[in-house]
Amino acid sequence: MEFFERFAIPHPSPAIYASMVAIALTMVAIVAGLTYFKKWGYLWREWLTTVDHKRIGIMYLISALLMLFRGGADAIMLRAQLAVPENKLLDAQHYNEIFTTHGIVMILFMAMPFIIALMNFVVPLQIGARDVAFPRLNALSFWLFFMGAMLLNISFVVGGSPDAGWTSYFPLAGTEFSESVGSNYYMIAIQIAGIGTLMTGVNFLTTILRMRAPGMTLMKMPMFTWSVLVTNVIIVFAFPVLTVLLAMGTFDRLFATHFFTTTNGGMDMLWANLFWVWGHPEVYILILPAFGVYSEVISTFARRNLYGYKSMVASMVLISLLSFLVWTHHFFTMGQGALTNSIFSITTMAIAVPTGVKIFNWLLTLWKGKIEITTPMLYSLLFIPLFTIGGVTGVMLGMSAADYQYHNTMFLVAHFHMVIIPGVVFAMLAGLTYWWPKMFGFMLNERIGKWTAWIIGISTLVAFMPMFFSGLDGQARRMYTYSESTGYGPLNMISFIGAVGLAVGFVLIAYNVYYSVRYSPRNISADPWDARSLEWATHSPVPEYNFAIVPQVDSSEAFWDAKKKGHELFKGEYEKIHMPNNSGVPFLMSCIFFVWGFSLVFSMWIPAIAATIGILACMAHRSFEKDHGRYISVEEVEETESKLRGAS
Amino acid sequence: MKIDHSLPLEYSTEENRLKILGFWIFLGAEIMLFATLFASYFTLVDRTGSGPSGADIFEITPVLIETIVLLTSSFTIGLGVHAMRIGNKKAMLSFFAITLLLGAGFLGVEIYEFVHYAHIGAGIQTSAFTAILLTTLGTHGAHVTLGLLWGTAIILQVKKRGLTPETANKSFIFSLYWHFLDVVWIFIFSFVYLKGMM
Ligand code: HEM
Ligand SMILES: [Cu+2]
């Protein structure tokens, strides 16, 4: 019995017990369902072992949407607690746990996989490739991310959630002040997912640098691919910092080292610095692909070439460099002196310049365009003004002297939500709607889609604008309640209403998927939006080899020019196509990683060592395995092609 | 699989070229990893708390042995790759084996060093300085350990399957990794040990 005590929740509540029961029931239902419908084999063959970038993309997508609901449930609880003064819905400890997991889940397990989902699905198609450079590694990336996310998600029913904020500053996150295993989960779950992301970075850089269709020079790449290229450079340079940081945090917690303690030479500010050396580039990892999506959507539905292609590229490269030079702006108030603060104020405000260039490029693309308002376009049009509010308040925060007033208030919370939601979340929803027909062969319902976009757009304003004001009035963030005399009550009630509106919007997305699966016509063309880049030149849904013949490109709007100027994309004959084999090892290895992580969280050394050996064994297996892939014969290609041509 | 015979074996297929580029990018990430460790080391180097400083605990003899052994191994793996290029499988295997033996020798001395530190009261829990020192050295040592396992796997494969585009590619990539560890060691030697002893 004693052994099991460690798994108990330190601060139980009826809600947590209810979740335990709900989780158990869901698991039983899934297992029963799979068994009853005899889908285990299908699941294993088609999904768990797949190395196809399109399917991996779809798995990232499903995970991201699930995590959006988990993080959203957290958000609603937070807002409900704050809706009225001195509310007793949550106590301080639960509030801490919930804002911590909300932040981690939303940033690392919702926004990141959403971006990687689109990246996986779209980039190889946009560059005319048949897969990524290392398909097996890609599967491993996904499963590591997935297992990391699952590990964090079980924390609230096994052992307790992390509660030191998603920034997990020491000494608060050290063993002295965070006794439960919650912060161990933080260190190890994010570590596992982070290694997956790093591998994604290596994979996509190689893919984009080496696997573009003939004729597609760097400056002829579609803008989304450019944004992904720049993003992955940031990933490769920023994520190793996180790896080291989390390893040191793990050592402090598990092995009583003194990296970040307040005794024996430890330095708590080292954590804050390294965290944001990774953390600020991380926010650009999130926003740059979002900018890429907007570029695609806006030029497609304005029916014009993107204005200022070169300045778009240059501004992204500049942003990626600057993103590594601003990290101290997250703790201007934590004592580094006026000179340092001034320097970082300037670098911070400098980022607004290339970002502004992009905003004007989009506006100039719209100018004189024949604008067609579709759901993705609606999100993009809502993005421009809303994101500008977030950006401008960011510049306010960047002024270090003034930041003493804003820091750690609701003003900050309003700022980053106004950049992350209109910037990243809208872009992901736009991209989801835009590429959905390519993924699944039918469109999402436009009427529901536009309603959703409006609801989400307006609710974002309702939820977050009041926080600017209550923040300026001094309402602190991460505080579980406030007294009536502060007068924050009404503003927080408005925020709560906005949060409910957002929840309605997210439920509508799910409803739209359901509705469209049932009622959307399946006989759509391969190019339903009259779009511009190569992914629309192949069938929907896309055959496993992507393109029967590798396309030949001679402009950045290859497919558009093929349609309008008669440029011929597909020259030559069918040839046999080389494809990678499926493999269960990435999934298996990631499961072992899960066991490894779980054992470390609870300091169970023997299973941890066993899992380490298991991981090494998987690597050895990969080394000795002979895997030359397989060929799809010309006849097979012909057959698939004629079938798909008939279908679309 | 199209094989381009004008190129060295390890570059001869498209897949091989992708792998080499991918590995270089990975090494870029590794550079960031060690750069973070070094930055933390420089931040914490004087924060010794009640524990010893570098000057108190560093000993030149084992460090010199480690350095010489590891530098030699970088040379021998270079010879190994050269032998591979001229198609001399036997010489290549011998040089790879020597490289790994030297690597094992390095690791042996490093383990001795760690035990010694623990004995004289400079364990990982002593101070911020010892924590970052042992973590930096340990990360490098862990890379060498993994290299020993990986290198053994490659020797076995070359022995059994001969020099094919695949095995040549693996051997070449392994040599990149090994040289990289050597470069990192040079930084450790100069900026951790020499600077610490001065
Ligand atoms: C449904 C819409 C959302 C609502 C109502 C909401 C609300 C909140 C609230 C109330 C807090 C805690 C403030 C505090 O007391 O410190 C918070 C924190 C945070 N949120 Fe959201 N949020 C939403 C969506 C998102 C999204 C989409 C993301 C990211 C992609 C996100 C990222 C964060 C982060 C990083 C924090 C800081 C966590 C921490 O302090 O450690 N949120 N949010
Ligand atoms: Cu920042």
Side-chain angles (χ1 to χ4, degrees), chain A residues 119 123 201 204-209 212 218 221 223-235 288 316:
Chain A
M119 196 154 111
V123 167
F204 276 81
L205 274 188
T206 316
T207 306
I208 298 176
L209 290 176
R212 298 189 307 276
L218 281 178
M221 291 194 312
M223 198 47 68
F224 179 68
T225 300
W226 250 116
S227 72
V228 170
L229 176 66
V230 177
T231 302
N232 281 296
V233 173
I234 309 182
I235 289 182
L288 288 180
M316 277 196 294

Side-chain angles (χ1 to χ4, degrees), chain A residues 380-400:
Chain A
S380 311
L381 295 178
L382 286 167
F383 147 77
I384 295 177
L386 265 59
F387 180 81
T388 306
I389 301 176
V392 168
T393 50
V395 178
M396 290 171 69
L397 286 158
M399 294 186 267
S400 54

